[in-house]
Amino acid sequence: MPLTVVTNTIRSLCEPTIDAHKAAHKARGRPAMNVSAHVDTFARDHLPPPDQWPELRFDLPELRYPDRVNCAAELLTGPPDDRPAFHTPSGDTWTYGTLRARVDRLAHLLTGDLGVVPGNRVLLRGPTTPWLAACWLAVLKAGAVAVTVLAQQRPHELATMCEIARIEHALCDIRAVDDLAKAEIPGLRITTYGGDAPDDLLNRRAPGTPYDAVATAADDVALIAFTSGTTGRPKGCMHFHRDVLAIADTFSKHVLQPHVDDVFAGSPPLGFTFGLGGLVVFPMRAGASSLLLEQAGPRQLLPAVAEHRVSVLFTAPTAYRAMLEELDAYDVSSLRRCVSAGENLPAATWRAWRERTGLRIVNGIGATELLHIFISAADDLIRPGTTGVPVPGWHARVVDESGHEQPDGEPGLLAVQGPVGCRYLADPRQREYVRGGWNVTGDTYIRENDGYFRYVARADDMIISAGYNIAGPEVEDALLRHPDVVEAAVVGRTDEVRGQVVVAYTVLKEGAQRDAEALRAFVKAELAPYKCPREIVFLDALPRTATGKLQRFRLRTGGDRQ
């Protein structure tokens, strides 16, 4: 049966049965879900059991989406054809009209030549380019499930993700295809784009007509985002079509508050949900545009901001600190919003950026499990040294190991509820993340008396030495106040006498003297003596994942000494 017939049948049959379907599921104690448009039901079949779901909350009017919504169609609808959507470093600009036409062409090819049906998982791999973004939109518009991975991931990592998500289709930039081919994934059909071959995706003939988006349910799985895997087997986080819109209608709308003329840019790749939201979902939801950079390290970001008049920047604390050294060489007057997430933003970095640029970095905490940022603050609401307050539409509290709420000022585990929740793909670790209807992120936080949330450490990063509780980020912040320290990471190492001792790994400016005793003396002048590192190790670079997250487990084992 042709896909258009399938889609029309879904449209005609689903609406009358939704209420009965929800009632039946509710009677069986299951989450009230809509009738799926997926022909391949793997994703929905492998959602966690209903008693392991977090409670979902849709407090804001804008979060009450219709039962049937296709997030790609929603993101593509609205802006005039001549409005810019994506820019490239070379100066090319895709308008919304161009983007819509190319997405429709790709969707026709997916469902025609490639035989993709709603619910199939489609792996997307390549550098951050407009074509990768267009492929992502086309996959979702066709009702399939996008699994965007990083161009840097190696064959064994790719094979593991394809095994977990049962992936049979892949769209891959020709420049990133070698490792995917080397993975030798059984049954995987790889289609390249950006090459010269006649069967290249962009060289195939396709209808030039508009593509009618598949009438997906709001709670059909739209994407599977894999955790960055600092330890253990990666976890596939399943997110619905409504979830993609919800992150834009909470953090972006109420905290970021983008303008239609904004130009977004940043360092996180689209395989990282921080980048997917900041570089595709948020600008498109606002009808704004995005500069997509294939190379987006600190040395590339500043010239890109200056040349393309970027106004909204997404990157990590490490990059903001690194860019401080080069600020005087570039005109960054176009910037009006700087967003930081991915790891804790030290107060020293926030203050230094404010002093040099006049801009207040919008700090935030998000999670792959919750898709994007859920605690943040902007403008006059920012309190340096804190993450912020729950984003409108989200709720947060600090709990103990038993799930009881902690008094203000007492450290505990951060627990979150909102319109998006953790749903691991067939993974027993769901029970660890969702407890009592709350998403427990694994971060230790303190809720201050005024309602602001202050980061303490990852739950497994709290160092207990000779009876003292020592938060690694506090020591890191002190180290970063030293003018020669570029990066710092502090961990606890097992010690027979003290239980743990504080060990600091540091990266210094080029040419700086590696004097551990002088650095220890500096920290002793900044913090109580018991917090001072017992050992300081100098590295050329800190170990990080492909998404830029610090691999603390490697430091704890001492595997990165130099």
Side-chain angles (χ1 to χ4, degrees), residues 291 300-310 313 331-332 334-335:
L291 169 66
Q300 289 84 30
L301 285 177
L302 285 176
V305 168
E307 181 179 352
H308 297 274
R309 308 302 293 161
V310 171
L313 184 64
D331 177 8
V332 297
S334 60
L335 283 176

Side-chain angles (χ1 to χ4, degrees), residues 195-232:
D196 298 326
D199 62 348
D200 187 274
L201 185 66
L202 307 185
N203 297 331
R204 298 181 183 223
R205 297 185 64 181
T209 56
Y211 182 91
D212 291 333
V214 171
T216 45
D219 51 15
D220 272 335
V221 175
L223 64 93
I224 300 173
F226 278 92
T227 57
S228 52
T230 54
T231 60

Side-chain angles (χ1 to χ4, degrees), residues 147-392:
V147 185
T148 311
V149 299
L150 303 174
Q152 302 95 322
Q153 285 169 322
R154 309 302 292 166
H156 74 278
E157 297 172 302
L158 298 168
T160 299
M161 289 184 284
C162 286
E163 174 194 349
I164 293 171
R166 306 277 181 86
I167 297 173
E168 297 179 352
H169 300 275
L171 304 182
C172 186
D173 189 302
I174 189 68
R175 297 168 294 173
V177 75
D178 288 349
D179 279 344
L180 187 57
K182 288 176 185 175
E184 298 181 348
I185 299 163
L188 181 67
R189 180 179 179 181
I190 302 172
T191 305
T192 59
Y193 63 88
D196 298 326
D199 62 348
D200 187 274
L201 185 66
L202 307 185
N203 297 331
R204 298 181 183 223
R205 297 185 64 181
T209 56
Y211 182 91
D212 291 333
V214 171
T216 45
D219 51 15
D220 272 335
V221 175
L223 64 93
I224 300 173
F226 278 92
T227 57
S228 52
T230 54
T231 60
R233 186 174 173 86
K235 294 167 283 191
C237 305
M238 296 192 282
H239 292 299
F240 298 156
H241 279 264
R242 70 177 180 223
D243 298 346
V244 175
L245 302 178
I247 61 171
D249 295 341
T250 53
F251 171 73
S252 184
K253 178 178 180 179
H254 292 278
V255 179
L256 193 61
Q257 298 180 355
H259 301 164
V260 69
D261 292 325
D262 275 326
V263 178
F264 287 63
S267 62
L270 303 190
F272 190 17
T273 56
F274 182 38
L276 180 66
L279 302 179
V280 176
V281 178
F282 298 165
M284 290 189 67
R285 188 65 164 164
S289 64
S290 182
L291 169 66
L292 299 182
L293 299 167
E294 295 188 30
Q295 301 294 325
R299 292 187 177 182
Q300 289 84 30
L301 285 177
L302 285 176
V305 168
E307 181 179 352
H308 297 274
R309 308 302 293 161
V310 171
S311 56
V312 181
L313 184 64
F314 281 72
T315 192
T318 302
Y320 285 112
R321 186 166 181 86
M323 287 189 290
L324 287 170
E325 296 296 319
E326 305 290 335
L327 270 175
D328 291 341
Y330 298 98
D331 177 8
V332 297
S333 61
S334 60
L335 283 176
R336 69 176 196 86
R337 283 280 195 239
C338 297
V339 181
S340 171
E343 59 188 13
N344 182 54
L345 173 66
T349 301
W350 190 95
R351 290 191 173 96
W353 189 262
R354 167 75 162 164
E355 181 180 344
R356 296 289 303 281
T357 68
L359 297 169
R360 293 173 282 196
I361 297 176
V362 177
N363 192 15
I365 180 174
T368 306
E369 288 85 353
L370 302 177
L371 198 52
H372 219 274
I373 292 172
F374 44 81
I375 294 179
S376 185
D379 303 321
D380 293 339
L381 297 178
I382 293 174
R383 306 272 179 87
T386 73
T387 306
V389 296
V391 169

